[in-house]
Amino acid sequence: MAYMIRPVQADEWKRFKELRLAALADPVARVAFHETFEEAAAQPPEFWQRRAERSDDGGVALTLIGEGPDGSWGGMVVVLREMDGEVPQARIVGVYVRPEHRGTGLSRELFEAALSWSWGLSEPAVDRVRLWVHTANGPATALYRALGFVETGRSMTDPKDAAAIEREMALTRC
């Protein structure tokens, strides 16, 4: 299936909300997202409008969606520009592909677009893109490794479960 990878537009906040809630309802959400379905579902429309606008204003955050030929949204990735770290970097969060779109290459396309956006940032230029992955999320870890991400040696406990560990992975600009 051919996808158009593009940013969410401000006026698409309802579709964005539906996709995010689908992500949080997915069985792997407990190890993939810090936000719960209940927390997100309780947010007012203004919250979702701001999140969609944030991606549409060319600022420090970008939500990319994979749109199928039929107009359906198959998945998304959020990339954030981090201005307060030790090196100019971006962080990928909110990765989700609907079950019926998994195995189609959509994840790779979303990541390629997120990386392209990150490498295109200037003043300062981004030298590294990082993400956190739960140790119980083997499929995500495998995808990130296949894309060239490597473990940095940093880890943290999952904010929802002190017994669970997340590991940082990063890709440095060549």
Side-chain angles (χ1 to χ4, degrees), residues 23-44:
L24 295 172
D26 191 282
V28 298
R30 68 173 183 76
V31 298
F33 300 103
H34 293 174
E35 183 179 37
T36 68
F37 177 88
E38 293 76 20
E39 291 167 342
Q43 294 295 337

Side-chain angles (χ1 to χ4, degrees), residues 14-169:
K14 288 180 183 176
R15 290 187 77 190
F16 169 65
K17 175 184 176 182
E18 185 278 325
L19 184 61
R20 178 64 177 183
L21 292 177
L24 295 172
D26 191 282
V28 298
R30 68 173 183 76
V31 298
F33 300 103
H34 293 174
E35 183 179 37
T36 68
F37 177 88
E38 293 76 20
E39 291 167 342
Q43 294 295 337
E46 297 79 22
F47 170 85
W48 297 103
Q49 291 165 352
R50 280 192 308 274
R51 279 182 106 171
E53 287 168 3
R54 183 176 73 174
S55 187
D56 199 20
D57 71 4
V60 298
L62 179 70
T63 301
L64 295 162
I65 55 104
E67 186 172 7
D70 61 356
S72 66
W73 287 11
M76 69 180 187
V77 64
V78 180
V79 59
L80 309 169
R81 181 184 206 163
E82 295 184 316
M83 304 296 286
D84 57 351
E86 63 276 0
V87 296
Q89 61 187 359
R91 182 167 42 110
I92 293 180
V93 299
V95 179
Y96 176 67
V97 173
R98 293 182 193 269
E100 63 271 23
H101 293 269
R102 293 176 187 161
T104 64
L106 177 55
S107 296
R108 183 174 291 276
E109 289 183 51
L110 288 165
F111 264 82
E112 287 171 357
L115 292 170
S116 179
W117 180 81
S118 299
W119 302 145
L121 295 170
S122 61
E123 299 179 32
V126 167
D127 294 324
R128 181 175 98 138
V129 176
R130 68 188 190 108
L131 53 81
W132 291 91
V133 62
H134 197 287
T135 56
N137 197 344
T141 301
L143 169 66
Y144 305 151
R145 282 191 180 125
L147 293 167
F149 285 80
V150 295
E151 290 187 22
T152 66
R154 292 178 61 193
S155 63
M156 69 176 178
T157 58
D158 183 328
K160 300 180 311 299
D161 179 1
I165 302 295
E166 294 185 4
R167 298 199 192 299
E168 182 185 55
M169 297 181 80

